Amino acid sequence: MVDGSWYGNWGVCFIYGTFFAVRGLVAAGKCYNNCEAIRRAVRFILDTQNTEGGWGESYLSCPRKKYIPLIGNKTNVVNTGQALMVLIMGNQMKRDPLPVHRAAKVLINSQMDNGDFPQQVNIVLSMFPINSNI
């Protein structure tokens, strides 16, 4: 995409797609310094980081094919973990570690005492009643 993201067909959506694209590029030997696509991906992730340090992408990104944050710019731990990995693989720590630290703090503070993370409501599920035949 023009903003440096990749569209993800299976997960929600641009953060997910960008995570796997960058993971593949890094596995192929690319890095921030030698790959414009990784630089643009890192910029997309940095541009969509919430003020408290996390990320949250709405399912509406998929049908609209445009990044849409969760209502109220809420954070989702899965999106935050994926975005954090893009920053780590994109060597963000060498340029400015603050966005990485902020994201890690969100994940650390979200983790429960037993090591798990709280179940977060999936907005997609609210579209379909539990007893529907989807």
Side-chain angles (χ1 to χ4, degrees), residues 10 26 41 81 100:
W10 187 81
V26 169
V100 175

Side-chain angles (χ1 to χ4, degrees), residues 54-110:
W55 288 261
E57 183 175 5
S58 170
Y59 75 94
L60 293 172
S61 293
C62 292
R64 295 184 185 169
K65 296 189 176 175
K66 170 186 168 187
Y67 179 82
I68 299 173
L70 287 172
I71 294 171
N73 287 322
K74 292 189 180 196
T75 287
N76 175 284
V77 295
V78 172
N79 293 150
T80 299
Q82 292 168 335
L84 178 57
M85 291 303 298
V86 171
L87 295 181
I88 290 169
M89 290 183 293
N91 293 317
Q92 183 63 31
M93 289 296 291
K94 292 180 181 178
R95 290 180 303 284
D96 176 10
L98 184 60
V100 175
H101 291 166
R102 290 174 54 230
K105 184 177 179 181
V106 167
L107 293 178
I108 290 166
N109 290 337
S110 298

